[in-house]
Amino acid sequence: MASLDKSVAQRYMRMALRLASRGFGQTSPNPMVGALLVKSGRIIGRGWHHRAGEPHAEIEALADARRRGTDIRGATLYVTLEPCCTHGRTPPCTDAIIDAGVRNVVIGGIDPNPAHSGKGLKLLKRAGVRVASGILESEAARLNEAFNHWIVERTPFVTVKAAMTLDGKVATSSGESKWITGQKSRAWAMHLRQASDAVLVGVNTVIADDPALTARLNGLVRGVKVPRRIILDSAGRTPGTAKVLLDRFAAKTTVVVTRKATRSRVHALRRCVNVLVAPDVDGRVNLRWLIKRLGQQGVTSLLVEGGGEVNSSFLLGGLAHRVAFFYAPKVLCGRDAIKAVAGEGISRRDAIIKLQQVEYRWFDGDLFMTACVSTQT
């Protein structure tokens, strides 16, 4: 599109990205997508993808323009992701765009699915629509990093999350852990859960803390997506009184055991929740097998909330893609205090886990750091 004004395109794309973010935590296993229709310098239609199975952002924007009684022909469509060109739960967006008489389409990111990537653009160009792509592409990719990973690898995008003191402790030697970080940090932790298809902890965390593992806003679960709850429990030690077994979301709980769990324990757990018998590695759940299985079940994003042994298993096993660490301005001390990341550790300096694209933000006195785990050694 030779006449594209990049500064104008970026301004409208930022607006489209903000629209896309309204689908936060609701669209999986689809991506978050936003769209704007602009004609003669005026926005005539807005749309975003609300949830899987419902109209895509482009269709919502076209419908919004029609409700306003606006003539769409000759308009420019700004959309954060390449329009789909195949039949799924909904018809192809490319057909609707062409039929509506849209003249220009400006795209943020290209469809990451190798089977579809670039095909939507070709169809639009073949129909005479002028197309430009790569506008705020990195921002569009960041918004949907979990979906982009899952659609290519068919395994979940894994984030390891922990809240700790400045010396890396999550609990005292006696196991006391509430509350290390402040209220605003805990609210952001709920935000991370809402973004995730599943939350994973080890059985020791269930025994020590009896967590609900729900996503709550202002203390309420109503109206908020409840992620799947995955408990790593090789020997089937999850207490029968645990919240994750008895609350109204028990159907969303999966306890992952190995052959170490007795038949009686597996039977007792299955009366309450889902039980998955996994192969083991040195007596522990084979995490690579589990990750692949969850991906096959449509889990695009997995939030690992430890404790320390589980966190280290994902990091040292090369299974984590992002970390989300909260640091409280406190020092706990103690060689027996519980660490946020434990395990056997790294013996060689050249094997240290490196982080990239580091982002920081403050929640009152707490420091939140998130970064991508480097794949380079």
Side-chain angles (χ1 to χ4, degrees), residues 103-121:
R103 179 180 297 167
N104 309 300
V105 174
V106 181
I107 296 165
I110 303 301
D111 189 335
N113 189 338
H116 305 149
S117 183
K119 290 185 178 180
L121 277 66

Side-chain angles (χ1 to χ4, degrees), residues 52-72:
E54 296 191 4
H56 290 184
E58 303 93 315
I59 307 304
E60 290 279 353
L62 292 170
D64 184 41
R66 292 185 177 109
R67 281 192 297 269
R68 299 166 184 257
T70 308
D71 183 7
I72 297 170

